[in-house]
Amino acid sequence: MSKRLLSFSGACASDNWGDLSNHLSTRIEERVPATSFKMLDCFDQSLRASKALLLEVGEELILVDANGAMWRQPAARSGNFVADLCDGPVKARLTHMSPLRCLLEMGQGQIDCTMLQFADDSENTHLRIGWLVLSAGETTVTLLTVNAMRGYKKSAKHLHKTLQNRGAVPADLAEVTDALFPDLDHYVAKPKLSFAPSTTAFDAANQIVRAYLAVARQNEPGVIADFDTEFLHEYRIAMRKIRSVLSLFKGVYEDAVTAELKQRFSGLMASTGPLRDLDVYLLERELYFDMLPDKLHEGLRLMFEAFEADRSAALTSLTNRLQSVEYKRDMAELQCMFDTPDALLQGEHGDESVADYAKRLIWKRYKKVCKTAREIDDATPDAQVHELRISCKKLRYLIEFFKPEFDAADIKVILKPLKRMQENLGLFNDYSVQQESLQTFVERGRLNGQPALKAAQSVGALIVILHMRQLEERARVVQNFARFDSSQTRQCFRRLFS
């Protein structure tokens, strides 16, 4: 924690600062009367994770970072993504946030803000302090940001000591957020799983499904409100991981139970596909326009207008589905089933220890990935490359599920080249799917007359470019597998899982 950022528990008035330094005079540079504030963050709380605090106070944004620096700029914006903020020092320091995540209101409170200046008799400024008294509910915290001018570290050291003697402590803004808003849920897309030595494969499977069901459910309100596209994306990832457990954990549940659960989760996910496909296209809009010359942009514009209309209809359909009595009942039943899984019938491998079962599953999937990858060359059908992509995804899911069971350094050695190969295979698949979908768009006759002709010309050119990019990614598959199939990685897999 930074010495430039201090806090007091409770309200600490800033009108008794005159004796903080025995050799510097103090004056108020600015005082903002007590007013309301909104705390902003994205849904995954990346600002809280980076120990920063973003406040909207009237027409101003105030950002306090983990080092105690405070930045301010007008709050005017065209939307709620970082890219929508007007240019300024706050926006410039939020570049680490996902461009796909919007800013949401996490809580409200009251703020009293005073900016102080400490100067010597020659009117040389030694220090500036931001004095923020934040209140929410029954809790009040006073934050002090101490900014020393160059050459005056001794003054800062003296002030810091004086403040500590009066009860100030180094501030952790994540802890400040938790104190002000204790009921704020902390969203974690990848729950940390832990298994006791006595945990069985059956218990582990239930724990994983239970954890990712909770993740999916946390994303439902954001999907319905349509804050940003990541809510649906992470909902689908959570549900896909659940389906992978049912697919990969063979023999943990009785076959009939596995078949029923697969069908239920598949049905729940089916309605999310159309909206996600359209989101992917609309997110890539700028890239598509960059691919084609200006004379073909009109056709793309017409195509994206059709996509936007389709998206509106798909969102309405999915929202109705998520708000339906049937959906809520299905999800509630599944949550209850895995919260108290006594009624679930175990399969022949359900009683195996999770460690032994995990090793066997991962080793089997690893060998399948290697076998498929080694058979790929320039003449290999696309379907086999897609099979490799799916196998890699399942292998990564397994490793991430059981990561706590193994050495972290070894897992890192394994995951780094695997993720790289996955990215390569993911792009290959994206280009393939996009070509097929664009061809279907033209054949479906979504547009008529001259607009249809213009769109067909643009789509045709786009398909050619996407095909070329797909071939480039295909050529990288062998190269990336060679990195994954290094002697170091092979040794790690053998040592951990064979």
Side-chain angles (χ1 to χ4, degrees):
M1 288 178 277
S2 171
K3 292 183 178 180
R4 293 174 54 186
L5 183 62
L6 302 170
S7 69
F8 291 95
S9 178
C12 180
S14 60
D15 51 4
N16 292 320
W17 58 76
D19 60 347
L20 288 178
S21 177
N22 57 13
H23 67 289
L24 299 176
S25 60
T26 311
R27 71 178 183 88
I28 298 176
E29 283 192 315
E30 180 183 1
R31 183 160 197 168
V32 179
T35 187
S36 61
F37 75 83
K38 298 175 183 176
M39 189 186 78
L40 304 179
D41 205 339
C42 54
F43 185 62
D44 60 12
Q45 297 178 26
S46 56
L47 282 173
R48 178 186 172 279
S50 64
K51 301 186 186 300
L53 192 65
L54 178 61
L55 306 175
E56 183 173 6
V57 183
E59 298 180 354
E60 187 176 48
L61 290 177
I62 299 176
L63 174 67
V64 182
D65 68 19
N67 295 318
M70 185 164 70
W71 313 94
R72 301 161 72 185
Q73 74 168 61
R77 53 190 182 272
S78 58
N80 288 320
F81 293 88
V82 171
D84 297 326
L85 301 179
C86 63
D87 290 339
V90 173
K91 180 179 181 178
R93 286 160 181 85
L94 296 178
T95 54
H96 66 283
M97 297 182 71
S98 168
L100 302 179
R101 278 294 192 189
C102 72
L103 293 170
L104 299 171
E105 181 184 312
M106 296 285 129
Q108 296 184 7
Q110 289 289 118
I111 182 172
D112 188 333
C113 179
T114 305
M115 306 304 295
L116 306 175
Q117 181 189 60
F118 290 76
D120 58 26
D121 293 340
S122 300
E123 298 188 356
N124 296 314
T125 300
H126 288 220
L127 305 165
R128 283 191 170 90
I129 294 183
W131 199 297
L132 286 70
V133 181
L134 305 172
S135 300
E138 302 296 319
T139 303
T140 298
V141 176
T142 301
L143 280 180
L144 283 74
T145 64
V146 181
N147 184 23
M149 302 298 102
R150 182 175 295 179
Y152 295 109
K153 288 184 178 180
K154 183 180 288 187
S155 296
K157 187 175 181 180
H158 174 80
L159 177 66
H160 184 268
K161 184 176 181 180
T162 302
L163 290 169
Q164 281 195 312
N165 288 339
R166 298 189 182 188
V169 295
D172 181 317
L173 290 177
E175 294 177 359
V176 169
T177 297
D178 293 344
L180 291 171
F181 305 105
D183 296 329
L184 183 63
D185 290 332
H186 297 159
Y187 175 70
V188 179
K190 294 182 179 180
K192 290 184 178 179
L193 303 166
S194 60
F195 308 111
S198 59
T199 302
T200 64
F202 177 78
D203 292 335
N206 294 332
Q207 184 180 336
I208 295 168
V209 173
R210 187 162 57 244
Y212 281 99
L213 258 176
V215 172
R217 302 231 66 181
Q218 279 184 284
N219 280 283
E220 290 169 355
V223 175
I224 293 168
D226 198 27
F227 290 126
D228 62 49
T229 59
E230 286 297 279
F231 285 95
L232 178 58
H233 183 44
E234 297 206 352
Y235 173 95
R236 283 171 56 82
I237 289 174
M239 295 293 274
R240 198 159 55 228
K241 288 183 175 181
I242 292 171
R243 292 176 66 191
S244 75
V245 170
L246 301 174
S247 171
L248 293 168
F249 286 41
K250 298 185 187 303
V252 169
Y253 303 108
E254 279 201 351
D255 291 347
V257 173
T258 299
E260 180 194 351
L261 290 172
K262 279 184 177 181
Q263 185 177 17
R264 292 185 71 170
F265 281 105
S266 178
L268 289 166
M269 272 200 75
S271 59
T272 67
L275 180 57
R276 179 57 190 168
D277 291 343
L278 289 162
D279 281 345
V280 170
Y281 280 118
L282 291 166
L283 288 169
E284 297 288 348
R285 183 193 329 232
E286 190 173 323
L287 176 62
Y288 284 171
F289 276 93
D290 289 343
M291 286 181 183
L292 298 184
D294 291 348
K295 64 182 180 180
L296 294 176
H297 283 186
E298 177 63 14
L300 285 184
R301 185 186 65 77
L302 293 166
M303 181 183 75
F304 277 109
E305 282 183 357
F307 285 166
E308 286 173 346
D310 290 346
R311 185 189 187 278
S312 179
L315 175 62
T316 299
S317 176
L318 180 57
T319 297
N320 290 339
R321 168 70 172 148
L322 295 181
Q323 292 179 317
S324 69
V325 173
E326 178 188 12
Y327 173 84
K328 291 177 180 177
R329 183 183 64 243
D330 284 350
M331 289 297 274
E333 285 179 358
L334 288 166
Q335 282 188 293
C336 182
M337 185 184 299
F338 286 96
D339 283 343
T340 53
D342 297 341
L344 288 171
L345 298 178
Q346 290 190 45
E348 59 181 324
H349 299 301
D351 283 331
E352 283 189 36
S353 76
V354 65
D356 292 340
Y357 189 76
K359 288 179 181 180
R360 184 157 55 82
L361 278 187
I362 293 171
W363 183 247
K364 181 180 178 181
R365 183 58 50 177
Y366 167 66
K367 289 194 296 182
K368 183 171 183 178
V369 166
C370 292
K371 181 179 184 297
T372 305
R374 288 179 182 132
E375 293 172 352
I376 290 176
D377 57 28
D378 293 342
T380 304
D382 285 357
Q384 194 166 334
V385 182
H386 291 310
E387 182 185 340
L388 175 61
R389 179 184 67 85
I390 293 169
S391 287
C392 285
K393 182 184 293 186
K394 290 180 176 179
L395 175 60
R396 180 174 169 184
Y397 283 169
L398 285 172
I399 293 171
E400 290 180 342
F401 289 155
F402 298 116
K403 189 161 56 173
E405 297 294 299
F406 305 102
D407 181 74
D410 285 336
I411 294 297
K412 187 175 181 180
V413 168
I414 288 169
L415 283 180
K416 185 176 180 179
L418 178 58
K419 288 177 181 179
R420 189 170 188 170
M421 188 161 66
Q422 266 194 284
E423 289 171 4
N424 170 202
L425 291 164
L427 286 172
F428 175 87
N429 182 65
D430 289 346
Y431 293 142
S432 175
V433 170
Q434 287 167 19
Q435 290 173 68
E436 292 178 9
S437 298
L438 290 170
Q439 186 65 41
T440 301
F441 170 79
V442 173
E443 293 172 352
R444 196 177 59 178
R446 183 72 172 76
L447 301 173
N448 298 304
Q450 191 66 19
L453 178 60
K454 289 183 177 180
Q457 290 173 335
S458 299
V459 168
L462 202 54
I463 287 174
V464 170
I465 294 172
L466 291 170
H467 179 64
M468 292 173 61
R469 294 194 174 191
Q470 183 188 7
L471 293 177
E472 290 172 0
E473 291 302 325
R474 183 192 180 98
R476 294 189 181 103
V477 170
V478 174
Q479 179 183 1
N480 282 322
F481 175 67
R483 290 194 183 97
F484 174 71
D485 198 34
S486 69
S487 59
Q488 183 185 20
T489 305
R490 289 198 302 271
Q491 288 171 10
C492 274
F493 268 100
R494 288 196 184 97
R495 183 170 64 253
L496 294 176
F497 310 120
S498 67

